[in-house]
Amino acid sequence: MPDETPQHDGREPAPGEGRSATGRRVPAPAPPADEADRAGDPPGEIRDGETGTGAGSTKTDSPETGSGGSDSPGTGSSQSGSAETGSGESGPGEGGGVAPSGALKPEEIEQPVGERDPATGAPVTLPAVQSATEPVPPEPGAPDPAHDVEQRKREAGVDHLFPFGKPGQPLGRAHPFVFGFTAALGVITAWMLVKAATNAKSVLVMIVVAMFLAVGLNPAVERLRRIGLPRGAAVATVFLIVILFFAGFVASLVQPVSEQVTELRHNIPEYVQQLQNNKTLADWDKRYGLLERAEKTVNGDGFQKGLTDTATGIGKVAVNGIFQTITILILTLYFLSSLPQIKTFFYQLAPRTRRARVALLGDEILDRIGGYVAGQFTIALIAGVCSYIFLSILGVKYALALALIVAVTDLVPLIGATIGAVIVSLVAFLTGTTTDLIVCAIFYVVYQQVENYLVYPRVMKRTVDVQPAVTIVAALVGAALLGVVGALLAIPTAAAISLLIREVVMPRQETL
C-alpha cells in the first residue's frame, strides 16, 4: 500500500514558519532592519525565504521564480519593483543593477580613453591607425639624435598632435632647479623691498612722525568731544593750536636773529680793528705770519668755492626742513581726522576670534602713546617756563625766544635739554659777560638733574608705565638708529613692546 503521507523536503520548518497547502514553506514575516543587524547578519544579506528590506524585491528558494519574482500571494508590488530595478543595462549574468546581496550597484564611471589636448585638457579622439606615437628608447648602435633627424623624431614620439614630441613629466617641487629658482627669486624680491624701503626712508619717516603726532594729539581731541564739540571741530581746534605754536616759535626767532645779523654786520670793522690792536695776536703774527696766511686763505679759489657750497648746503637744508615740516603737518591733519577709521581698518585685519582682544590691546597702546606725548609736552612746558623766569631775572636778551628754544629741544629725550642749555649759555655769553655764562651753566646743570631724576620718571611712570632704565636704554637705541626721530619714537615703542610681552607672551609661557 503506497504511503499517502505527504513528503517533505527533509527539513523541519523553523520556528515561525508554516507550510502552505501545496507543501511549500510559508516565509515568516521579515524582522525589522535593526533587529536583523543585531542578530549578527552582515549588512545587505538576505536569507532564503526572507524578504530583503530596502532592496525592492522578494526572494524565495523556489526554482520557478526568476530574478525578483515570487509565486507567493501578495508579492506583486515586490515583483514590479524588482523588474524596474533590474531593467538597467548590464552584461549577461550580472543581475542588472542589483548585487547578489540585494543592494544596488554603484554606477560605474567609464575611464576616459585616448589622448587629451594639452592646451584645453579636453579628450581627443585619435584615429584608428597612428604613426609613431610613443617615444622609442634608443637602441644600441642607434644614431645620435643630435645629428639624425629621423632618429630624433622617433625618440621624441612625434605625431600629428605633438609635432615636436611628447612632453616629459613636469619637474617636481623638490627638483634642485625649481628649489634654486624659487630661493633666488625670494632673495631678489627681499633685496628689492629693502632697496625700495631705503630709497623711501625719508617719506616713511615723515609718515611715521605724522602718525605719531596724530596719535599723541588724539587725547586732546577726545577731551574736546566730551565737552560737546563734533570731531571735525575738535580736530580743527587742536590743529589750529599746533599751528599757532609753530608760528609763534618762528616769529619769536625772527626778530633776535635779524637783529644779531645786523649788529654783526655793523660791528665787523670794529672786530677787525680789535684783532689788529691785540698784542698777543700781533706777537703771533710776527712769529707765524697768521694774518698773511689768513689773507691767502680767504683770497684763494678753494675758500670761495667752499664758502659757496656751504651756503648752498645750508639753504638746501633749510628749504628741505620747511618742506618736510609742512608735509608732516598736513599728514598729521589727515591722520588725526581719520584716526577712528584707520584703527578700525587695522583691527579688522585680525581674525574674528581674536579681534576683540587685539582691539583692546591696540587701544591701550594708542592711549600710552598719547600719554607719552602729553607727558613730553608737560616736561617741555615746565622747562620753558623755568628758563624764561631765570633768563628774565638774569637780564639776558631775548629771554622769550631762548625759553621757546629750550622748550622745543626738551622734547627730545636725554639730549634735548643739554642742547637747549648749550644754546642759551652761548647766547648769554655773546650778549653779556662771562659771569652770565657761568651762571647759566650752573642753573641748567642743576635743573637737568632735577628733571632727569624727579620730574621725568614721575611723569613717564604715570603716562607710559615704563621703568626709567627701559626709558634710557630705549632712547639710546632709538637715537643710534634714527637720530632725533628715533629718540622720539623709542619710548612709546618700548611701552608697546612691554605691554605685549606682559599681556601676550608671559601668559602663554605659563601654559607651556
Side-chain angles (χ1 to χ4, degrees), residues 96-139:
V98 182
S101 62
L104 294 178
K105 289 183 178 180
E107 184 179 357
E108 296 181 355
I109 302 175
E110 296 183 357
Q111 298 295 330
V113 179
E115 299 286 341
R116 288 184 177 272
D117 190 353
T120 62
V124 178
T125 304
L126 299 178
V129 179
Q130 302 180 5
S131 60
T133 57
E134 295 295 334
V136 178
E139 298 178 356

Side-chain angles (χ1 to χ4, degrees), residues 318-362:
V319 173
N320 191 23
I322 294 173
F323 173 76
Q324 289 184 354
T325 302
I326 295 174
T327 304
I328 289 174
L329 290 177
I330 294 174
L331 290 175
T332 302
L333 177 61
Y334 280 115
F335 290 155
L336 187 60
S337 60
S338 59
L339 189 59
Q341 291 80 8
I342 295 175
K343 290 196 304 182
T344 303
F345 170 76
F346 281 104
Y347 290 161
Q348 288 177 347
L349 295 178
R352 182 64 180 85
T353 55
R354 302 183 180 182
R355 191 172 299 165
R357 179 168 170 80
V358 170
L360 291 174
L361 291 174

Side-chain angles (χ1 to χ4, degrees), residues 371-398:
Y372 167 75
V373 174
Q376 201 68 26
F377 273 110
T378 302
I379 295 172
L381 179 63
I382 295 173
V385 171
C386 293
S387 297
Y388 178 74
I389 296 174
F390 167 74
L391 295 175
S392 299
I393 296 174
L394 189 61
V396 179
K397 292 183 179 180
Y398 318 117

Side-chain angles (χ1 to χ4, degrees), residues 138-220:
E139 298 178 356
D144 192 344
H147 304 288
D148 194 307
V149 178
E150 295 300 328
Q151 182 67 19
R152 189 182 307 169
K153 292 181 179 180
R154 281 194 300 270
E155 291 189 13
V158 175
D159 57 10
H160 68 285
L161 291 178
F162 302 99
F164 300 102
K166 291 186 177 181
Q169 294 294 331
L171 296 177
R173 294 183 178 180
H175 194 276
F177 177 78
V178 176
F179 176 78
F181 180 78
T182 306
L185 187 61
V187 172
I188 293 173
T189 304
W191 177 77
M192 293 179 64
L193 291 176
V194 171
K195 186 176 180 181
T198 304
N199 294 335
K201 178 181 177 181
S202 60
V203 178
L204 295 177
V205 168
M206 287 191 295
I207 293 174
V208 171
V209 172
M211 180 60 73
F212 173 76
L213 292 177
V215 173
L217 296 175
N218 188 61

Side-chain angles (χ1 to χ4, degrees), residues 127-318:
V129 179
Q130 302 180 5
S131 60
T133 57
E134 295 295 334
V136 178
E139 298 178 356
D144 192 344
H147 304 288
D148 194 307
V149 178
E150 295 300 328
Q151 182 67 19
R152 189 182 307 169
K153 292 181 179 180
R154 281 194 300 270
E155 291 189 13
V158 175
D159 57 10
H160 68 285
L161 291 178
F162 302 99
F164 300 102
K166 291 186 177 181
Q169 294 294 331
L171 296 177
R173 294 183 178 180
H175 194 276
F177 177 78
V178 176
F179 176 78
F181 180 78
T182 306
L185 187 61
V187 172
I188 293 173
T189 304
W191 177 77
M192 293 179 64
L193 291 176
V194 171
K195 186 176 180 181
T198 304
N199 294 335
K201 178 181 177 181
S202 60
V203 178
L204 295 177
V205 168
M206 287 191 295
I207 293 174
V208 171
V209 172
M211 180 60 73
F212 173 76
L213 292 177
V215 173
L217 296 175
N218 188 61
V221 175
E222 296 297 332
R223 290 183 181 180
L224 293 178
R225 288 191 62 190
R226 295 191 193 99
I227 297 175
L229 290 178
R231 183 169 184 85
V235 169
T237 303
V238 173
F239 194 73
L240 182 61
I241 294 174
V242 174
I243 293 295
L244 291 177
F245 172 78
F246 277 99
F249 176 73
V250 174
S252 63
L253 294 179
V254 169
Q255 181 181 0
V257 169
S258 60
E259 291 182 0
Q260 290 295 325
V261 170
T262 303
E263 184 179 355
L264 178 62
R265 187 177 67 250
H266 290 298
N267 293 335
I268 285 178
E270 183 180 354
Y271 293 154
V272 173
Q273 187 65 31
Q274 291 179 359
L275 290 175
Q276 291 177 352
N277 297 332
N278 193 314
K279 295 182 179 180
T280 304
L281 185 60
D283 187 25
W284 288 356
D285 182 39
K286 290 179 181 179
R287 291 183 179 182
Y288 306 106
L290 296 180
L291 294 179
E292 183 179 358
R293 292 183 180 181
E295 184 178 0
K296 289 181 179 180
T297 303
V298 171
N299 294 331
D301 296 335
F303 179 80
Q304 299 293 335
K305 184 179 179 180
L307 186 62
T308 303
D309 294 341
T310 303
T312 305
I314 294 174
K316 288 182 179 180
V317 170

